[in-house]
Amino acid sequence: MADGFEAAWARVRVAAQWSQTASATLPDLDYGYDALEPSSARESWRLHHSKHHQTYVNNLNAALEKYTDAEARGDVAAMIALQGASASTAAAHINHSLFWKNLAPASAGGGGAPMGESLPSAIDAEFGGFRDGCRSGLRLGLAGLPPGKDTVAIHTTQNQDPVSMSGLVPLLGVDVWEHAYYLDYKNARPEYLKNIWKVVDMGEVAARLDQARA
Amino acid sequence: MFGLALIALGALLPTDPGFFPIEMAAAAPAELTLPPLGYDYDALEPHIDEATMRVHHLGHHAGYTAKTNAAMAKLAEADPALAAEGIDSVLTKLDKVPAALRGPLRNAGGGYVNHALFWSIMAPGKGGKPEGAVLTAIESAFGSYDAFKAEFDGLAGGLFGSGWVWLYADKTSGTPVLKVCSTPNQDTPAMEAGKTPILGLDLWEHAFYLRYQNKKASYIEAWWNVVNWEEVARRFAAASA
């Protein structure tokens, strides 16, 4: 358990661009909060990024500080006690960092059809056409590429569990926690999902697929 | 005509349910209806806002009601006897439910019963502290009301993701003992026979997001002002009977 956790922690540090001395930081967005309107209002994006994601980052740093302390003292009980909270906030930080990169205003490539050499055929092969895939399946969770398999798949995860826990490479993630859409859509999640497609950056998705296959 | 004939025959025929074809022996489960709040949508202001109460009741809870009915109707086709036991019983026997219906019944059915409890343990002009037998039971289980509240608040603040925090009566060892726990999604302690929730706090983001956004701690603090301890006491008495 402790060994597996160390390995997971190592991945977290890499993913969070985290050195032994620095802390996790909230990544800047590549666009303004208003740039993704009208998929959701700028205030919603601001809240999601500067409050929710910032809180995950703060909690992650606090947890890592305590964990490093406990590790130095050899306090295994404390280390184990911190694992759950550390893993949740680390995953939340990773997932949200990926999410911001997955989005772009229409002027910067958001809302397009799948592009690049591999992605369109991979999606077509798996879901029979991008449009149909949109309606039927690509609504929730993360699309992943199982290593060793040359296909894309849809995978939903609980809470902030990262898709990498299932051995998949995340290509596209859509946050369906209620905080992601509640102010603009309340309980009308299907509407949120319909509109998020207008700002999904399929170029980024294609780049991730190419990188995963490299 | 047919109805009258059936009643007359019922007195003469054996009560073995196998006697009649199964479709006649077990009644289809009565459709669940959305229970009323018992107070106006703005009655819990300023602690819980009217807009949240409306969407929560008419959107979320109504949705759970409809989905539970749909899943129970399918269960009635597959296993009429189990469906006839009603959702409370079905939630304790999810392992006996066909696999395809397990998720829908757990999520929607749990959502249905949990929210029915939630509206009932809140009321305008309440809050304060418990009295009588339920206070005695709280003190006996936790040491003091403050200690209970600290543990409940700790679970609520620490809950990651969607779920609930509960005060429930546990009769599995005989006399009812009060305990607190958190559950994910729409799970409830009532999924285990002998455990009866008497107080529950909805910590799904939809329960507080419109007024409180990410300030979950403020919502938890405000919620205590609307807890109807008389109803909690009534549920405790019923669970102890």
Side-chain angles (χ1 to χ4, degrees), chain B residues 2 6 16-29 73 75-81 83-84:
Chain B
F2 179 75
L6 203 54
D16 175 2
F19 186 87
F20 276 125
I22 198 78
E23 300 84 60
M24 294 170 73
L75 182 64
E77 285 167 28
D79 189 343

Side-chain angles (χ1 to χ4, degrees), chain A residues 63-161:
Chain A
L64 182 69
E65 211 177 294
K66 286 188 195 150
Y67 187 86
T68 310
D69 250 5
E71 201 176 17
R73 289 195 316 268
D75 187 347
V76 177
M79 286 163 68
I80 292 174
L82 284 164
Q83 281 178 7
S86 306
S88 304
T89 49
H93 175 43
I94 294 172
N95 290 343
H96 284 81
S97 300
L98 289 172
F99 186 48
W100 307 131
K101 289 290 184 191
N102 259 140
L103 304 174
S107 57
M115 52 180 75
E117 288 179 11
S118 351
L119 185 62
S121 51
I123 291 182
D124 272 359
E126 201 60 33
F127 304 116
F130 184 58
R131 289 276 170 257
D132 290 336
C134 282
R135 271 196 298 280
S136 66
L138 282 166
R139 297 187 322 138
L140 293 174
L142 299 163
L145 178 74
K149 285 186 71 175
D150 216 21
T151 53
V152 296
I154 298 170
H155 198 77
T156 56
T157 57
Q158 293 287 326
N159 294 336
Q160 294 291 350
D161 292 348

Side-chain angles (χ1 to χ4, degrees), chain B:
Chain B
M1 292 302 176
F2 179 75
L4 277 174
L6 203 54
I7 291 165
L9 283 172
L12 300 173
L13 291 166
T15 51
D16 175 2
F19 186 87
F20 276 125
I22 198 78
E23 300 84 60
M24 294 170 73
E31 280 234 320
L32 298 167
T33 55
L34 180 67
L37 286 186
Y39 37 83
D40 292 338
Y41 287 108
D42 64 352
L44 303 183
E45 290 266 11
H47 312 294
I48 303 189
D49 56 297
E50 178 181 354
T52 293
M53 291 302 291
R54 284 185 181 278
V55 181
H56 205 172
H57 185 242
L58 298 169
H60 293 275
H61 196 186
Y64 290 132
T65 308
K67 286 182 182 159
T68 305
N69 284 332
M72 287 293 276
K74 291 198 181 125
L75 182 64
E77 285 167 28
D79 189 343
L82 180 55
E85 292 180 23
I87 186 61
D88 290 293
S89 180
V90 168
L91 284 173
T92 67
K93 302 177 182 175
L94 287 172
D95 54 323
K96 299 195 167 43
V97 166
L101 292 175
R102 216 167 281 154
L105 283 168
R106 183 175 186 157
N107 294 328
Y112 177 79
V113 307
N114 292 343
H115 287 83
L117 180 150
F118 191 49
W119 312 135
S120 80
I121 54 88
M122 294 190 294
K126 297 291 178 182
K129 292 193 178 159
E131 294 171 352
V134 73
L135 176 61
T136 305
I138 285 174
E139 287 169 342
S140 151
F142 300 96
S144 67
Y145 170 76
D146 287 341
F148 146 71
K149 185 172 181 298
E151 198 172 324
F152 192 100
D153 283 340
L155 285 174
L159 181 68
F160 193 85
S162 305
W164 291 72
V165 175
W166 306 96
L167 174 64
Y168 67 99
D170 184 343
K171 283 199 289 196
T172 54
S173 308
T175 52
V177 175
L178 288 182
K179 296 180 183 172
V180 294
C181 72
S182 65
T183 54
N185 300 326
Q186 294 295 349
D187 285 359
T188 156
M191 283 160 73
E192 282 179 73
K195 294 186 176 178
T196 308
I198 64 172
L199 174 70
L201 172 57
D202 189 350
L203 287 161
W204 282 60
E205 287 172 324
H206 66 237
F208 60 88
Y209 210 75
L210 296 180
R211 168 65 55 89
Y212 294 96
Q213 283 101 57
N214 60 319
K215 302 190 197 73
K216 188 175 78 166
S218 301
Y219 159 65
I220 296 167
E221 198 185 319
W223 172 77
W224 289 106
N225 291 303
V226 298
V227 169
N228 181 0
W229 283 107
E230 285 152 27
E231 171 65 15
V232 177
R234 192 196 65 76
R235 284 176 178 268
F236 178 65
S240 309

Side-chain angles (χ1 to χ4, degrees), chain A residues 34-214:
Chain A
D34 58 339
L36 299 182
E37 287 180 334
S39 64
S40 290
R42 67 192 67 181
E43 275 312 304
S44 303
W45 293 115
R46 184 195 314 274
L47 189 53
H48 202 170
H49 179 250
S50 71
K51 299 282 185 228
H52 285 278
H53 191 177
Q54 181 70 71
T55 300
Y56 289 132
V57 168
N58 296 343
N59 291 347
L60 175 56
N61 286 330
L64 182 69
E65 211 177 294
K66 286 188 195 150
Y67 187 86
T68 310
D69 250 5
E71 201 176 17
R73 289 195 316 268
D75 187 347
V76 177
M79 286 163 68
I80 292 174
L82 284 164
Q83 281 178 7
S86 306
S88 304
T89 49
H93 175 43
I94 294 172
N95 290 343
H96 284 81
S97 300
L98 289 172
F99 186 48
W100 307 131
K101 289 290 184 191
N102 259 140
L103 304 174
S107 57
M115 52 180 75
E117 288 179 11
S118 351
L119 185 62
S121 51
I123 291 182
D124 272 359
E126 201 60 33
F127 304 116
F130 184 58
R131 289 276 170 257
D132 290 336
C134 282
R135 271 196 298 280
S136 66
L138 282 166
R139 297 187 322 138
L140 293 174
L142 299 163
L145 178 74
K149 285 186 71 175
D150 216 21
T151 53
V152 296
I154 298 170
H155 198 77
T156 56
T157 57
Q158 293 287 326
N159 294 336
Q160 294 291 350
D161 292 348
V163 81
S164 56
M165 273 168 69
S166 315
L168 299 173
V169 174
L171 305 178
L172 165 66
V174 177
D175 190 351
V176 289
W177 279 57
E178 287 171 327
H179 67 237
Y181 60 89
Y182 213 77
L183 294 183
D184 300 273
Y185 297 96
K186 299 189 182 63
N187 61 325
R189 194 202 289 181
E191 278 303 301
Y192 158 68
L193 291 166
K194 202 169 85 178
N195 285 327
I196 199 81
W197 285 110
K198 296 175 185 163
V199 291
V200 165
D201 183 354
M202 292 309 287
E204 171 71 13
V205 179
R208 288 179 190 172
L209 178 58
D210 290 340
Q211 194 176 34
R213 280 177 164 160

